[in-house]
Amino acid sequence: AIDVFLAKFSESGAHLWSKRFGLSNYHEGADLAVDANGRIAITGRAWGDIDFGGGTLSPVAAPDIFLAVLNSSGGHVWSSLYGAGNYEVGQSVAFASNHDVLLTAHGYGTDPVSFGGDPMVAQEYSLDMYIARFFGANGDHRWSYRLYGTGGSTYGYIDEHEGEIILGGTMTADNDFGLSPLPNAGGQDIFVVRYGDQLTGAGPTLARATLLQNSPNPFNPQTRIEYSLASPAMAVIEIFDASGAVVARLDEGQQPAGAYSTMWNGRDMNGRAVVSGVYFYRLAGMPEVAAKKMVLLK
Protein backbone atom coordinates (compact mmCIF):
# COMPACT_ATOMS: atom_id res chain seq x y z
CA ALA A 1 0.00 0.00 0.00
CA ILE A 2 1.01 3.61 -0.60
CA ASP A 3 -0.45 6.10 1.90
CA VAL A 4 -0.82 9.86 2.21
CA PHE A 5 1.31 11.57 4.86
CA LEU A 6 0.70 15.01 6.33
CA ALA A 7 3.04 16.73 8.79
CA LYS A 8 3.18 20.09 10.52
CA PHE A 9 6.37 21.81 11.61
CA SER A 10 7.16 24.95 13.57
CA GLU A 11 8.81 27.96 11.94
CA SER A 12 12.17 26.56 13.08
CA GLY A 13 11.42 23.16 11.53
CA ALA A 14 10.59 21.32 14.77
CA HIS A 15 8.03 18.51 14.39
CA LEU A 16 4.59 19.40 15.78
CA TRP A 17 2.49 16.48 14.55
CA SER A 18 2.14 14.06 11.63
CA LYS A 19 -0.66 11.91 10.24
CA ARG A 20 -0.93 8.94 7.88
CA PHE A 21 -4.05 8.31 5.80
CA GLY A 22 -4.79 5.11 3.91
CA LEU A 23 -6.26 1.67 4.60
CA SER A 24 -5.66 -0.27 1.40
CA ASN A 25 -4.17 0.06 -2.07
CA TYR A 26 -2.67 3.31 -3.41
CA HIS A 27 -3.28 6.95 -2.45
CA GLU A 28 -1.62 10.13 -3.63
CA GLY A 29 -1.86 13.66 -2.28
CA ALA A 30 -1.91 16.43 -4.86
CA ASP A 31 -2.35 19.75 -3.04
CA LEU A 32 -3.07 21.38 0.31
CA ALA A 33 -4.18 24.77 1.59
CA VAL A 34 -4.28 26.44 5.02
CA ASP A 35 -6.75 29.14 6.04
CA ALA A 36 -6.33 32.01 8.51
CA ASN A 37 -7.62 29.81 11.36
CA GLY A 38 -5.05 27.11 10.67
CA ARG A 39 -7.51 24.65 9.11
CA ILE A 40 -6.02 22.42 6.43
CA ALA A 41 -7.66 21.21 3.20
CA ILE A 42 -6.07 18.39 1.19
CA THR A 43 -7.00 16.70 -2.08
CA GLY A 44 -5.68 13.95 -4.31
CA ARG A 45 -6.61 10.50 -5.56
CA ALA A 46 -7.73 7.35 -3.72
CA TRP A 47 -7.41 3.87 -5.25
CA GLY A 48 -8.63 2.12 -2.12
CA ASP A 49 -10.26 2.67 1.26
CA ILE A 50 -9.08 5.71 3.20
CA ASP A 51 -9.98 7.26 6.56
CA PHE A 52 -9.21 10.88 7.50
CA GLY A 53 -10.71 10.43 10.96
CA GLY A 54 -14.40 10.56 10.09
CA GLY A 55 -14.82 6.91 9.06
CA THR A 56 -13.83 4.71 6.12
CA LEU A 57 -14.35 6.16 2.64
CA SER A 58 -14.49 3.64 -0.24
CA PRO A 59 -14.05 4.66 -3.89
CA VAL A 60 -16.78 3.79 -6.37
CA ALA A 61 -14.13 2.62 -8.84
CA ALA A 62 -10.53 3.68 -8.42
CA PRO A 63 -9.28 6.26 -8.55
CA ASP A 64 -11.71 8.70 -6.94
CA ILE A 65 -11.16 12.30 -5.82
CA PHE A 66 -10.61 12.77 -2.11
CA LEU A 67 -11.16 16.05 -0.30
CA ALA A 68 -10.67 16.49 3.44
CA VAL A 69 -10.60 19.39 5.88
CA LEU A 70 -8.69 19.07 9.16
CA ASN A 71 -8.30 21.43 12.08
CA SER A 72 -4.99 23.01 13.04
CA SER A 73 -4.08 19.92 15.11
CA GLY A 74 -4.82 17.52 12.28
CA GLY A 75 -8.20 16.48 13.66
CA HIS A 76 -10.99 15.56 11.27
CA VAL A 77 -13.54 18.26 10.34
CA TRP A 78 -15.07 16.65 7.24
CA SER A 79 -14.02 14.49 4.30
CA SER A 80 -15.51 12.98 1.16
CA LEU A 81 -14.79 10.98 -2.00
CA TYR A 82 -16.14 11.93 -5.42
CA GLY A 83 -16.22 9.52 -8.35
CA ALA A 84 -18.43 7.57 -10.70
CA GLY A 85 -16.54 4.54 -11.97
CA ASN A 86 -14.28 6.43 -14.33
CA TYR A 87 -10.90 8.09 -13.74
CA GLU A 88 -11.27 11.09 -11.42
CA VAL A 89 -8.47 12.72 -9.42
CA GLY A 90 -8.17 15.84 -7.27
CA GLN A 91 -5.83 18.50 -8.67
CA SER A 92 -5.84 21.60 -6.43
CA VAL A 93 -7.55 23.03 -3.37
CA ALA A 94 -7.82 26.52 -1.85
CA PHE A 95 -9.75 28.39 0.84
CA ALA A 96 -11.96 31.29 -0.17
CA SER A 97 -11.99 34.48 1.90
CA ASN A 98 -15.17 33.31 3.70
CA HIS A 99 -13.49 29.95 4.52
CA ASP A 100 -15.33 28.00 1.80
CA VAL A 101 -13.27 25.27 0.13
CA LEU A 102 -12.48 25.49 -3.61
CA LEU A 103 -11.50 22.41 -5.62
CA THR A 104 -10.27 21.56 -9.08
CA ALA A 105 -10.18 17.99 -10.34
CA HIS A 106 -10.03 16.19 -13.66
CA GLY A 107 -11.40 13.00 -15.11
CA TYR A 108 -12.74 11.18 -18.11
CA GLY A 109 -15.43 8.61 -18.88
CA THR A 110 -19.15 8.58 -19.56
CA ASP A 111 -20.46 7.89 -16.04
CA PRO A 112 -21.89 11.00 -14.33
CA VAL A 113 -19.92 12.59 -11.46
CA SER A 114 -21.61 14.58 -8.70
CA PHE A 115 -19.99 16.81 -6.07
CA GLY A 116 -23.36 17.21 -4.39
CA GLY A 117 -25.14 19.06 -7.20
CA ASP A 118 -26.34 17.95 -10.63
CA PRO A 119 -24.37 15.01 -12.11
CA MET A 120 -21.88 15.91 -14.84
CA VAL A 121 -20.59 13.68 -17.63
CA ALA A 122 -17.09 14.03 -19.06
CA GLN A 123 -16.33 13.64 -22.74
CA GLU A 124 -15.35 10.10 -23.67
CA TYR A 125 -12.03 10.93 -25.33
CA SER A 126 -10.85 13.93 -23.34
CA LEU A 127 -9.64 14.69 -19.82
CA ASP A 128 -12.09 17.29 -18.53
CA MET A 129 -11.65 19.68 -15.63
CA TYR A 130 -14.11 19.99 -12.74
CA ILE A 131 -14.34 22.93 -10.37
CA ALA A 132 -16.42 22.97 -7.19
CA ARG A 133 -17.09 25.08 -4.13
CA PHE A 134 -18.12 23.72 -0.70
CA PHE A 135 -19.18 25.22 2.61
CA GLY A 136 -16.06 25.19 4.75
CA ALA A 137 -17.81 24.19 7.98
CA ASN A 138 -19.38 20.93 6.79
CA GLY A 139 -18.50 20.26 3.14
CA ASP A 140 -22.00 20.87 1.78
CA HIS A 141 -22.04 21.58 -1.95
CA ARG A 142 -22.35 25.20 -3.11
CA TRP A 143 -21.79 24.81 -6.85
CA SER A 144 -19.81 22.76 -9.37
CA TYR A 145 -19.06 22.96 -13.09
CA ARG A 146 -17.30 21.02 -15.85
CA LEU A 147 -14.87 22.81 -18.17
CA TYR A 148 -13.71 20.91 -21.19
CA GLY A 149 -11.78 21.05 -24.42
CA THR A 150 -12.48 19.27 -27.66
CA GLY A 151 -10.74 15.91 -27.57
CA GLY A 152 -7.89 17.13 -25.35
CA SER A 153 -6.91 17.58 -21.73
CA THR A 154 -7.54 20.47 -19.32
CA TYR A 155 -5.66 20.78 -16.02
CA GLY A 156 -5.88 23.73 -13.68
CA TYR A 157 -5.39 25.29 -10.26
CA ILE A 158 -7.86 27.47 -8.38
CA ASP A 159 -7.76 30.43 -6.01
CA GLU A 160 -10.00 33.29 -4.92
CA HIS A 161 -9.22 37.00 -4.68
CA GLU A 162 -11.73 39.54 -3.36
CA GLY A 163 -14.69 37.33 -4.28
CA GLU A 164 -13.47 36.43 -7.77
CA ILE A 165 -12.38 32.95 -8.84
CA ILE A 166 -9.00 32.64 -10.59
CA LEU A 167 -8.11 29.56 -12.65
CA GLY A 168 -4.77 28.83 -14.27
CA GLY A 169 -3.47 25.74 -15.99
CA THR A 170 -2.82 24.02 -19.28
CA MET A 171 -4.95 22.77 -22.18
CA THR A 172 -4.13 20.63 -25.20
CA ALA A 173 -7.24 21.42 -27.29
CA ASP A 174 -9.59 24.29 -28.07
CA ASN A 175 -11.48 25.24 -24.94
CA ASP A 176 -14.53 27.30 -24.04
CA PHE A 177 -14.42 28.52 -20.45
CA GLY A 178 -17.88 30.04 -20.76
CA LEU A 179 -16.65 33.43 -21.93
CA SER A 180 -15.43 33.01 -25.50
CA PRO A 181 -13.69 30.13 -27.30
CA LEU A 182 -9.93 29.92 -26.73
CA PRO A 183 -8.17 28.13 -29.61
CA ASN A 184 -5.27 25.84 -28.86
CA ALA A 185 -2.13 27.02 -30.68
CA GLY A 186 -0.64 23.55 -30.70
CA GLY A 187 0.75 21.27 -28.03
CA GLN A 188 0.15 22.31 -24.42
CA ASP A 189 -1.00 25.90 -23.96
CA ILE A 190 -1.25 27.93 -20.74
CA PHE A 191 -4.57 29.54 -19.76
CA VAL A 192 -5.66 32.04 -17.10
CA VAL A 193 -9.35 32.74 -16.46
CA ARG A 194 -11.08 35.03 -13.97
CA TYR A 195 -14.71 34.63 -12.95
CA GLY A 196 -17.18 36.23 -10.61
CA ASP A 197 -18.27 33.87 -7.85
CA GLN A 198 -21.12 32.50 -9.97
CA LEU A 199 -18.76 31.61 -12.84
CA THR A 200 -21.07 33.57 -15.11
CA GLY A 201 -21.40 31.80 -18.43
CA ALA A 202 -19.59 28.67 -17.27
CA GLY A 203 -22.77 26.89 -16.32
CA PRO A 204 -26.39 27.36 -15.24
CA THR A 205 -27.15 30.69 -13.60
CA LEU A 206 -27.76 30.32 -9.88
CA ALA A 207 -31.12 31.40 -8.50
CA ARG A 208 -31.07 35.13 -7.89
CA ALA A 209 -32.15 36.20 -4.44
CA THR A 210 -31.84 38.99 -1.91
CA LEU A 211 -31.15 38.77 1.81
CA LEU A 212 -32.12 41.69 4.05
CA GLN A 213 -30.61 42.85 7.31
CA ASN A 214 -32.17 41.15 10.31
CA SER A 215 -34.40 43.16 12.64
CA PRO A 216 -33.96 44.00 15.43
CA ASN A 217 -30.18 44.11 15.41
CA PRO A 218 -28.69 43.83 18.01
CA PHE A 219 -31.33 41.42 19.34
CA ASN A 220 -32.37 39.31 22.32
CA PRO A 221 -33.77 36.69 22.34
CA GLN A 222 -35.00 36.50 18.72
CA THR A 223 -34.72 38.33 15.41
CA ARG A 224 -36.50 38.41 12.06
CA ILE A 225 -34.70 37.53 8.81
CA GLU A 226 -36.30 38.51 5.50
CA TYR A 227 -35.32 37.33 2.02
CA SER A 228 -36.74 37.14 -1.48
CA LEU A 229 -36.39 34.75 -4.41
CA ALA A 230 -36.60 35.76 -8.06
CA SER A 231 -37.24 32.14 -9.08
CA PRO A 232 -38.21 28.91 -7.29
CA ALA A 233 -35.41 27.61 -5.08
CA MET A 234 -34.58 25.67 -1.94
CA ALA A 235 -34.34 28.24 0.86
CA VAL A 236 -32.04 27.35 3.74
CA ILE A 237 -30.65 30.08 5.99
CA GLU A 238 -27.39 29.10 7.65
CA ILE A 239 -26.26 30.92 10.77
CA PHE A 240 -22.60 30.64 11.73
CA ASP A 241 -20.31 32.09 14.35
CA ALA A 242 -17.18 34.20 13.90
CA SER A 243 -15.02 31.07 13.44
CA GLY A 244 -17.14 29.92 10.47
CA ALA A 245 -18.84 27.05 12.32
CA VAL A 246 -22.53 26.60 11.48
CA VAL A 247 -24.62 26.90 14.65
CA ALA A 248 -28.15 26.80 13.16
CA ARG A 249 -29.98 26.06 9.92
CA LEU A 250 -33.42 27.50 9.21
CA ASP A 251 -34.75 25.14 6.54
CA GLU A 252 -37.62 26.86 4.75
CA GLY A 253 -37.89 24.13 2.12
CA GLN A 254 -38.58 24.55 -1.60
CA GLN A 255 -40.14 27.98 -2.15
CA PRO A 256 -41.68 29.67 -5.20
CA ALA A 257 -40.53 33.14 -6.21
CA GLY A 258 -41.54 35.81 -3.74
CA ALA A 259 -40.74 37.56 -0.46
CA TYR A 260 -40.38 35.65 2.82
CA SER A 261 -39.73 36.19 6.50
CA THR A 262 -38.51 33.83 9.21
CA MET A 263 -37.39 34.05 12.83
CA TRP A 264 -34.26 32.87 14.62
CA ASN A 265 -34.65 32.30 18.35
CA GLY A 266 -30.96 32.48 19.24
CA ARG A 267 -30.64 28.71 19.65
CA ASP A 268 -28.36 26.17 17.96
CA MET A 269 -29.31 23.01 16.08
CA ASN A 270 -29.63 21.13 19.41
CA GLY A 271 -32.00 23.71 20.87
CA ARG A 272 -29.42 25.25 23.20
CA ALA A 273 -29.22 29.02 23.63
CA VAL A 274 -26.07 30.42 22.02
CA VAL A 275 -23.80 32.90 23.77
CA SER A 276 -23.72 36.64 23.16
CA GLY A 277 -21.58 37.74 20.24
CA VAL A 278 -21.35 38.38 16.52
CA TYR A 279 -23.04 35.94 14.14
CA PHE A 280 -23.46 35.79 10.38
CA TYR A 281 -26.23 34.40 8.19
CA ARG A 282 -26.52 33.50 4.52
CA LEU A 283 -28.74 31.70 2.01
CA ALA A 284 -27.11 28.30 1.58
CA GLY A 285 -26.17 27.42 -1.99
CA MET A 286 -26.44 31.02 -3.22
CA PRO A 287 -22.91 32.47 -3.06
CA GLU A 288 -23.95 35.48 -5.14
CA VAL A 289 -25.94 36.70 -2.13
CA ALA A 290 -23.66 38.34 0.43
CA ALA A 291 -23.78 37.12 4.03
CA LYS A 292 -25.07 39.51 6.70
CA LYS A 293 -23.80 40.20 10.21
CA MET A 294 -25.93 40.32 13.34
CA VAL A 295 -25.25 40.76 17.05
CA LEU A 296 -26.82 38.90 19.94
CA LEU A 297 -26.68 40.86 23.22
CA LYS A 298 -27.90 39.35 26.47
Side-chain angles (χ1 to χ4, degrees), residues 48-67:
D49 293 349
I50 192 167
D51 185 356
F52 293 95
T56 300
L57 302 173
S58 301
V60 175
D64 278 359
I65 301 156
F66 72 71
L67 178 61

Side-chain angles (χ1 to χ4, degrees), residues 66-77:
F66 72 71
L67 178 61
V69 173
L70 311 173
N71 63 29
S72 59
S73 300
H76 179 265
V77 178

Side-chain angles (χ1 to χ4, degrees), residues 11-277:
E11 292 182 0
S12 63
H15 175 269
L16 298 178
W17 54 258
S18 51
K19 302 278 184 176
R20 178 178 65 86
F21 307 110
L23 299 174
S24 65
N25 213 315
Y26 171 86
H27 311 283
E28 181 180 327
D31 195 23
L32 68 82
V34 181
D35 74 0
N37 296 323
R39 291 190 313 157
I40 305 158
I42 56 175
T43 191
R45 68 185 77 182
W47 293 82
D49 293 349
I50 192 167
D51 185 356
F52 293 95
T56 300
L57 302 173
S58 301
V60 175
D64 278 359
I65 301 156
F66 72 71
L67 178 61
V69 173
L70 311 173
N71 63 29
S72 59
S73 300
H76 179 265
V77 178
W78 58 265
S79 55
S80 188
L81 292 183
Y82 309 99
N86 306 309
Y87 175 89
E88 294 99 13
V89 299
Q91 177 75 27
S92 77
V93 65
F95 281 103
S97 54
N98 69 343
H99 306 292
D100 279 1
V101 177
L102 307 171
L103 172 74
T104 66
H106 53 268
Y108 64 79
T110 56
D111 292 327
V113 179
S114 174
F115 293 90
D118 293 336
M120 298 174 287
V121 179
Q123 296 180 103
E124 188 172 3
Y125 299 109
S126 67
L127 198 61
D128 291 352
M129 177 177 168
Y130 299 102
I131 54 178
R133 182 168 184 154
F134 306 90
F135 288 108
N138 55 18
D140 285 354
H141 173 265
R142 268 194 184 272
W143 49 250
S144 51
Y145 296 96
R146 178 175 65 94
L147 305 176
Y148 57 91
T150 305
S153 301
T154 305
Y155 297 88
Y157 294 82
I158 194 166
D159 207 344
E160 185 236 54
H161 179 67
E162 296 182 351
E164 295 185 325
I165 303 298
I166 311 297
L167 295 177
T170 62
M171 62 184 192
T172 61
D174 294 351
N175 211 309
D176 186 344
F177 293 95
L179 304 172
S180 59
L182 292 177
N184 176 257
Q188 192 171 61
D189 291 352
I190 298 170
F191 69 83
V192 177
V193 187
R194 184 178 72 180
Y195 295 104
D197 188 75
Q198 291 186 73
L199 300 191
T200 304
T205 301
L206 297 172
R208 298 298 300 180
T210 58
L211 184 62
L212 302 182
Q213 187 64 53
N214 65 300
S215 178
N217 187 39
F219 69 96
N220 180 32
Q222 64 182 8
T223 188
R224 181 180 303 278
I225 298 174
E226 297 180 332
Y227 64 96
S228 64
L229 303 174
S231 58
M234 181 67 70
V236 178
I237 297 173
E238 286 193 328
I239 299 167
F240 52 103
D241 61 23
S243 72
V246 175
V247 298
R249 289 169 63 93
L250 309 179
D251 190 345
E252 301 290 285
Q254 182 71 29
Q255 300 278 29
Y260 298 92
S261 175
T262 189
M263 301 292 293
W264 182 45
N265 61 5
R267 296 184 176 272
D268 65 16
M269 289 180 282
N270 296 314
R272 297 171 300 203
V274 301
V275 300
S276 297

